[in-house]
Amino acid sequence: MDSTAKVLIFVASSLSLFVLISVLKFLEKYWWTPLKIQKALSLQGIKGPPYQFIHGNNKASSLFRYQALSKPMALTHDIVPRVIPQIHAWINTYGKNYLTWEGNRAQLVISDIEIIKEILKNNDGTFPKRKDDSAFIYKIIGDGLVSSQGAKWARQRKLANHAFHGESLKNMNPAVIASVETMLEKWKGREGKEIEVFEEFRLLTAEVISRTAFGSNYLEGKKIFDMLTKLSMLVTRNYFKARIPVISKIWKSADEIESEQLAKGIHDCVMEMVKRREEKVVTGESHHFGDDFLGLLVNAYHDSDEKNRLSVQDVVDECKTFYFAGQETTNSLLAWTVLVLAIHTDWQDKARKEVVEVFGDQNPHHEGISKLKTMNMIINETLRLYAPVAAVIRKVGKGIRLGKLVLPADMEILIPILTLHHEPQLWGDDVHVFNPERFSQGIANATKYNSAAFIPFSMGPRSCVGMSFATTETKIALSMILRRYTITLSPAYVHAPFPVITLQPQHGIQVMLHSV
């Protein structure tokens, strides 16, 4: 046998071995490991829809979602079957704790209150946030506060706490009031006419986060908001699409290409804002980068201590996170609160009476906001029925024992917030009834001291840092609206709660305004 033949045989053998190893690794990742996990959990009493090769349960989830969203819905607060239909159906079939599959990723859905507390109160890395830089959602939040871990998360959380708590929060109130006044000025002359408030509040909350956190107006932030909105629609459209192995590495879909272009556009806009801050200091127009959130980020970007310094991408990711979360969460809360007040006008009257008693004909002020007990009850009940985020996901960092369960590393845990908020065993037979009175003695009493029963902003060390910001902005806006208008539901309104990262009305919220 000559040397050429030997080389050809060697190359062919090596190639065959490479192909065999690749096929075995592929089968292990997409077939054997999922089946092994499914069997291990089944032996522990955890059932669920069977794993489907590559796709997991994504096709079934997409079908549930399509069927739920294509049906008309009555005007009821029982929204779980429409918003998260696959979770609703599989809990009824397999129990409160069950195993499902997002592609080849095992996902344990947990509704056990005590286990949820253990997961969300932990911050030692046992249950890290899910991080997938190939997913569309990553283009929105990057490695910002929502997804970062360890020392990096601690540094980012410290910055955010400084920007959105205590005196800093109090100092934001004038900007919130000014933004609401601008909105109400546009509403003049529209008494007795229909108005779509979800879009109105989208503009309002975008203006507020632009002014308070980034020292700009809505027009400056408009490009960023528009791109983030497009990205959020891509996230929703692709959430249950499985990535095909190998092919997804070498071929990008039109949505993936668009998401990358949008992410680059946001990056460029944020860096323009940063450069403007830097130029003001360089030219002597300002002696510091500012006291708002953007200023804190730019300061950290220039920190002389390398341990505390933020990278360019860190600054961009934090800005994206707070532009998106700071606007989306409050927009959702404010819109759904106005809806329930338009439906339940008795509670609208109670809230208006309280606003007049606390503020008279003055604009809201910091001392009075804390005295709005009735409004606080209404907001909490709205957050229970229409939680801004339907679920949160954690990951098992390493193999652990959780309650009576032994879980493998890298498994995901999904906590269905909306399901917990609509659970009769936790809230009673009137669980789907709008009844703010249940919060009259506070959250602890309403939940019978089950803290994980009410988690609209999650809980524990990684709870939403903007919770106080969102509820304060909502109280200010509602106070100013209710003092001027009574609100009734338009006959054109179609009840259709719809999950687009946050909970949104699929067809808007149409109401009628009448001068008080």
Side-chain angles (χ1 to χ4, degrees), residues 155 159 267 270-278 289 293-316 318-319:
R155 185 177 67 229
L159 280 173
H267 183 284
V270 169
M271 291 315 298
E272 283 178 22
M273 292 166 51
V274 171
K275 285 176 182 176
R276 283 201 297 270
R277 289 289 176 102
E278 291 174 327
F289 296 120
F293 188 57
L294 179 60
L296 294 175
L297 292 176
V298 179
N299 267 312
Y301 174 51
H302 287 277
D303 200 303
S304 57
D305 185 347
E306 194 173 330
K307 291 182 180 178
N308 295 323
R309 192 182 307 150
L310 297 182
S311 68
V312 169
Q313 194 57 51
D314 289 337
V315 173
V316 171
E318 288 304 295
C319 286

Side-chain angles (χ1 to χ4, degrees), residues 430-445:
D430 67 342
V431 66
H432 303 309
V433 174
F434 178 74
N435 177 23
E437 197 64 45
R438 73 176 86 241
F439 287 99
S440 62
Q441 301 302 314
I443 292 172
N445 188 71

Side-chain angles (χ1 to χ4, degrees), residues 248-289:
S248 62
K249 297 286 186 183
I250 58 178
W251 179 81
K252 292 180 180 179
S253 66
D255 282 355
E256 286 174 311
I257 293 170
E258 184 182 359
S259 72
E260 290 178 357
Q261 292 171 341
L262 290 168
K264 184 182 182 303
I266 294 169
H267 183 284
D268 293 344
C269 286
V270 169
M271 291 315 298
E272 283 178 22
M273 292 166 51
V274 171
K275 285 176 182 176
R276 283 201 297 270
R277 289 289 176 102
E278 291 174 327
E279 286 170 1
K280 284 184 177 181
V281 172
V282 170
T283 59
E285 187 180 339
S286 178
H287 298 297
H288 55 82
F289 296 120

Side-chain angles (χ1 to χ4, degrees), residues 14-172:
S14 299
L15 186 60
S16 298
L17 183 61
F18 172 76
V19 170
L20 177 61
I21 292 172
S22 297
V23 169
L24 290 175
K25 283 185 175 180
F26 174 79
L27 289 173
E28 180 184 25
K29 184 176 181 180
Y30 290 95
W31 188 246
W32 297 327
T33 297
L35 293 183
K36 185 169 67 175
I37 292 173
Q38 191 168 262
K39 183 178 180 181
L41 286 177
S42 178
L43 292 173
Q44 299 179 66
I46 300 294
K47 309 297 182 184
Y51 172 76
Q52 301 294 320
F53 187 54
I54 297 178
H55 295 281
N57 301 132
N58 285 351
K59 289 184 177 180
S61 294
S62 294
L63 182 59
F64 273 119
R65 181 185 173 91
Y66 172 78
Q67 291 174 339
L69 296 180
S70 63
K71 297 174 185 174
M73 180 183 178
L75 188 55
T76 169
H77 301 309
D78 182 11
I79 67 172
V80 173
R82 186 177 203 276
V83 177
I84 42 176
Q86 75 283 11
I87 293 176
H88 174 72
W90 286 331
I91 282 178
N92 287 335
T93 303
Y94 301 109
K96 291 184 178 180
N97 303 329
Y98 70 88
L99 178 66
T100 185
W101 297 88
E102 191 179 308
N104 69 316
R105 284 196 300 234
Q107 199 171 79
L108 181 63
V109 177
I110 293 283
S111 302
D112 184 292
I113 290 292
E114 294 306 314
I115 294 179
I116 289 171
K117 280 193 284 189
E118 183 179 344
I119 294 167
L120 294 182
K121 288 184 176 181
N122 181 285
N123 199 36
D124 64 5
T126 303
F127 304 106
K129 280 290 199 73
R130 179 173 76 170
K131 181 180 175 182
D132 181 3
D133 56 12
S134 66
F136 284 87
I137 187 68
Y138 192 78
K139 301 292 192 302
I140 295 179
I141 61 175
D143 198 21
L145 182 64
V146 171
S147 59
S148 60
Q149 304 293 336
K152 182 176 183 178
W153 171 82
R155 185 177 67 229
Q156 292 168 328
R157 181 78 184 201
K158 186 177 179 182
L159 280 173
N161 280 340
H162 183 74
F164 291 96
H165 281 81
E167 199 65 23
S168 298
L169 196 62
K170 180 180 176 181
N171 292 336
M172 292 179 183

